Amino acid sequence: MYNLDPITGILIAANVILSLKGFDNRSFFERYKFNVGQIRRGDQIRMFSSGFLHVDYTHLIFNMLTLYFFAHTVIFELGTLNFIILYIASLIFGNLLSLYFHKDEFWYSAVGASGAVTGILYAAILLYPEMKLFMFFVPIPIPGYVFGIGYLLYSIYGMKNRIGNIGHDAHFGGAVGGYVVTLVLMPSLFKTDLGHIALL
């Protein structure tokens, strides 16, 4: 689970390099962040580029650690090309859901790889639903599918109540993207794990 595959290294390096540039160059950050007004005016590159920018070091480190811990599981089961497809699709799904919920808030902005990373996390949970994970404030390991359900419920609650400076909609969209794309890429899961698929 903790192997650093070449593609994972490339993605982490890209996130780190572009995020650091964004930290030091505000105009670069503003040019490529997710912003509803600019996207609706046709600046579609932001739907992708915003996934490689972060607000601060904590945001960046948390996302990259999550990617590091779960990427190998997905690559091992789906292969490198499908992993790339899954990562990009989850990133776009997350931003599409953000755009949908905030389409009339032209000032709304966001950055981060959270949508893509959440998609990878949910793909790993679908592939290994009994893996043991830790949820915040719960000091004992819980099955992956329980974590997945809990996190989705929290994301829905966060979306409805706009809790904190967190893109809950991007997390939820990324999870849905990871879920759907994983099932498309590995339909055999419908035969081997239908129960967990239904729960998630």
Side-chain angles (χ1 to χ4, degrees), residues 134-198:
F134 287 89
M135 184 176 280
F136 296 121
F137 310 119
V138 180
I140 58 173
I142 58 176
Y145 71 92
V146 175
F147 176 94
I149 293 168
Y151 190 81
L152 282 180
L153 291 174
Y154 171 72
S155 294
I156 293 170
Y157 178 76
M159 287 162 58
K160 290 183 67 176
N161 296 279
R162 299 205 174 193
I163 297 174
N165 188 29
I166 300 172
H168 296 285
D169 36 24
H171 294 179
F172 188 85
V176 171
Y179 177 90
V180 171
V181 174
T182 300
L183 292 176
V184 169
L185 294 174
M186 200 169 183
S188 60
L189 289 171
F190 283 106
K191 295 181 179 179
T192 60
D193 250 324
L194 186 58
H196 289 123
I197 289 171

Side-chain angles (χ1 to χ4, degrees), residues 26-187:
R26 192 67 191 180
S27 63
F28 178 83
F29 184 88
E30 293 293 328
R31 174 67 185 84
Y32 292 107
K33 72 180 183 181
F34 178 96
N35 175 265
V36 171
Q38 295 298 331
I39 291 170
R40 292 194 61 179
R41 293 184 188 99
D43 198 1
Q44 302 296 330
I45 188 63
R46 293 170 183 263
M47 294 288 288
F48 179 76
S49 61
S50 60
F52 292 87
L53 297 172
H54 290 80
V55 172
D56 53 32
Y57 286 101
T58 301
H59 188 205
L60 173 63
I61 291 169
F62 184 81
N63 275 337
M64 294 304 99
L65 280 176
T66 305
L67 178 61
Y68 169 73
F69 285 131
F70 294 99
H72 179 71
T73 299
V74 179
I75 293 170
F76 178 76
E77 291 291 340
L78 299 181
T80 300
L81 177 59
N82 286 336
F83 171 81
I84 296 170
I85 292 170
L86 179 66
Y87 186 92
I88 294 172
S90 298
L91 191 164
I92 299 300
F93 264 79
N95 280 340
L96 282 173
L97 194 64
S98 289
L99 185 62
Y100 174 78
F101 277 112
H102 300 282
K103 59 182 177 294
D104 296 321
E105 302 169 27
F106 279 55
W107 63 89
Y108 182 84
S109 298
V111 293
S114 300
V117 171
T118 305
I120 298 301
L121 169 61
Y122 272 80
I125 290 172
L126 264 180
L127 295 166
Y128 293 99
E130 297 291 345
M131 71 164 65
K132 301 301 181 183
L133 298 174
F134 287 89
M135 184 176 280
F136 296 121
F137 310 119
V138 180
I140 58 173
I142 58 176
Y145 71 92
V146 175
F147 176 94
I149 293 168
Y151 190 81
L152 282 180
L153 291 174
Y154 171 72
S155 294
I156 293 170
Y157 178 76
M159 287 162 58
K160 290 183 67 176
N161 296 279
R162 299 205 174 193
I163 297 174
N165 188 29
I166 300 172
H168 296 285
D169 36 24
H171 294 179
F172 188 85
V176 171
Y179 177 90
V180 171
V181 174
T182 300
L183 292 176
V184 169
L185 294 174
M186 200 169 183

